[in-house]
Amino acid sequence: MKQAKILTQKQLNLFFKQLEIYPNAKRNRLIIAFTFFGGLRIGEVAKLFWKDVIDINYCVRDEIILLAENTKAKETQKVFINKKLRNEIIEYKRYYSNKYSKIDLDTPLLITQKRTQFSANSLCQLINSIYKRCGLSNVTSHSGRRSFITALANKSINAKVIMNLARHRNLSTTQRYIEVNDEQLKNAVELI
């Protein structure tokens, strides 16, 4: 089975620009940001509520606690919010507040046009169709997660750290996500 294609930061930036011409661009951008900048699975993104990402003072949290029933491993897990993801959440919060007024912390973070929560499957289909509409082949809802893990590996982050950030139980699982190309190999041999 062919793995989802990874995107570089440059490709992601171009995609974000393309995304602006489509409806619900701010919401869709945040969905993608969770996968690329936080390494979340699309099913985990679908289950997020406002209270998961902002506190009672409406400030973006430093981390997201994923409840056991919302994770693949069926255990509570922690996701750290970096600057890029924080900025995306702030932008979406501003957009959401202007569109719907007050944010209720107990409501889903990402909603459909009918103002209901996405299922994991419907969110996956939406994201895959957006990638396809933007002309990106072999890019799927899992591409962000693969790109997140590969980008960390390309920055020489310790494999155990990447495994923990990816929330994998086994290092071998993490290693399957990492894409290696000729440019990386050339750079590696130059280190000798």
Side-chain angles (χ1 to χ4, degrees), residues 27-28 31 42-47 110-130 133 141:
R27 178 200 67 195
N28 297 341
I31 295 164
I42 205 69
E44 295 165 344
V45 176
K47 294 173 183 165
L110 304 157
I111 55 175
T112 67
Q113 288 180 263
K114 294 179 182 179
R115 297 189 73 175
T116 60
Q117 187 171 21
F118 281 97
S119 69
N121 187 47
S122 63
L123 192 58
C124 182
Q125 289 177 14
L126 171 71
I127 294 309
N128 289 347
S129 71
I130 291 169
R133 201 178 324 151
S141 61

Side-chain angles (χ1 to χ4, degrees), residues 159-170:
K160 287 283 258 184
V161 172
I162 298 171
M163 182 185 87
N164 282 285
L165 290 172
R167 297 168 286 115
H168 287 147
R169 288 186 179 154
N170 300 304

